[in-house]
Amino acid sequence: GENVEQHPSTLSVQEGDSAVIKCTYSDSASNYFPWYKQELGKRPQLIIDIRSNVGEKKDQRIAVTLNKTAKHFSLHITETQPEDSAVYFCAAKRRVGNEKLTFGTGTRLTIIP
Amino acid sequence: GAVVSQHPSRVICKSGTSVKIECRSLDFQATTMFWYRQFPKQSLMLMATSNEGSKATYEQGVEKDKFLINHASLTLSTLTVTSAHPEDSSFYICSARDRGGGGNQPQHFGDGTRLSIL
């Protein structure tokens, strides 16, 4: 089955600086990679996703890059703000049918004002 | 946007009680819903995949007789924790994917249910 590793487990950055979270996956058949943000006690919310036919996707301050050859993908948050503080999870899934998402272990991001 | 409603949000009950959690897709149809369990400061662990009109698919190590799943319609799946014990205390979250648009529609999560067994 799929195995997703995520690093770092915790990350603190100064407000305004950039944050980068990295994930690797093992199943070469995976082709859908979403990122979720979870605030304490709340639901995970999809913030961005990427499919394997593209290498990069951007949405305002958030971007995701994908390297299929190396089987890794990264989340980039620029100009960080205090409200970016949360736990971020990467995930991977095959396209076929209703294959399940496999989540990474999460990164606790703290933005220091 | 797609909304998934999960109830109840919080349950506190005595050991031995059975607890039912509902997961509804409010503005889309979902042939597949997923049930996760999340321990404090840990990732989401998939418990089972709920398929409308058929039996759920359980992950390895998850007792199907302990965690009963019913997915009777395209908008509702239920998880019943039978004869709950303190070790079943956890945060349970469901998610659903829109049946339209092919296999890569994103999963949308409910607000979760915090279950505390005394």
Side-chain angles (χ1 to χ4, degrees):
Chain A
E2 175 66 277
N3 181 46
V4 177
E5 294 189 359
Q6 183 171 347
H7 300 281
S9 56
T10 60
L11 178 62
S12 296
V13 300
Q14 288 291 138
E15 183 178 353
D17 287 351
S18 295
V20 180
I21 303 170
K22 299 181 179 182
C23 287
T24 59
Y25 61 98
S26 61
D27 188 350
S28 56
S30 290
N31 70 344
Y32 174 65
F33 309 94
W35 285 88
Y36 287 87
K37 174 184 180 183
Q38 187 179 29
E39 297 178 28
L40 189 63
K42 296 190 175 179
R43 72 173 78 188
Q45 290 193 305
L46 179 70
I47 55 172
I48 196 166
D49 56 12
I50 191 168
R51 292 172 172 77
S52 61
N53 57 338
V54 297
E56 183 174 354
K57 183 176 177 181
K58 218 172 179 181
D59 183 3
Q60 299 183 334
R61 298 188 294 109
I62 295 172
V64 57
T65 58
L66 171 65
N67 183 329
K68 277 221 82 177
T69 304
K71 295 210 273 284
H72 66 69
F73 56 112
S74 301
L75 178 72
H76 304 253
I77 306 174
T78 59
E79 300 172 28
T80 53
Q81 300 168 3
E83 53 265 36
D84 294 329
S85 295
V87 179
Y88 291 81
F89 293 98
C90 63
K93 186 183 84 70
R94 292 181 175 188
R95 190 195 195 291
V96 177
N98 289 310
E99 291 283 344
K100 60 189 180 185
L101 279 175
T102 300
F103 283 87
T105 48
T107 297
R108 182 171 298 278
L109 175 64
T110 302
I111 306 303
I112 305 166
Chain B
V3 177
V4 175
S5 174
Q6 185 174 342
H7 293 282
S9 58
R10 182 92 163 104
V11 179
I12 302 172
C13 57
K14 293 181 179 179
S15 185
T17 307
S18 291
V19 178
K20 181 188 276 189
I21 303 169
E22 291 190 349
C23 182
R24 294 180 186 272
S25 56
L26 295 187
D27 50 1
F28 65 98
Q29 293 183 329
T31 48
T32 304
M33 293 185 176
F34 302 88
W35 288 95
Y36 295 86
R37 185 172 180 175
Q38 188 176 32
F39 290 107
K41 298 186 179 181
Q42 292 192 23
S43 188
L44 293 94
M45 299 303 298
L46 182 66
M47 298 174 64
T49 302
S50 170
N51 303 297
E52 185 266 337
S54 64
K55 291 183 178 180
T57 304
Y58 289 81
E59 294 299 299
Q60 195 170 10
V62 178
E63 299 176 57
K64 58 181 68 176
D65 294 331
K66 174 76 172 177
F67 299 100
L68 299 178
I69 290 172
N70 183 279
H71 192 156
S73 77
L74 287 172
T75 59
L76 174 64
S77 175
T78 61
L79 167 68
T80 302
V81 184
T82 61
S83 187
H85 292 286
E87 58 267 27
D88 298 322
S89 299
S90 191
F91 192 52
Y92 293 86
I93 314 177
C94 70
S95 72
R97 185 163 54 220
D98 194 325
R99 67 185 298 203
N104 273 344
Q105 289 297 308
Q107 284 188 27
H108 300 282
F109 286 85
D111 279 328
T113 298
R114 187 160 300 284
L115 177 61
S116 300
I117 308 299
L118 306 177

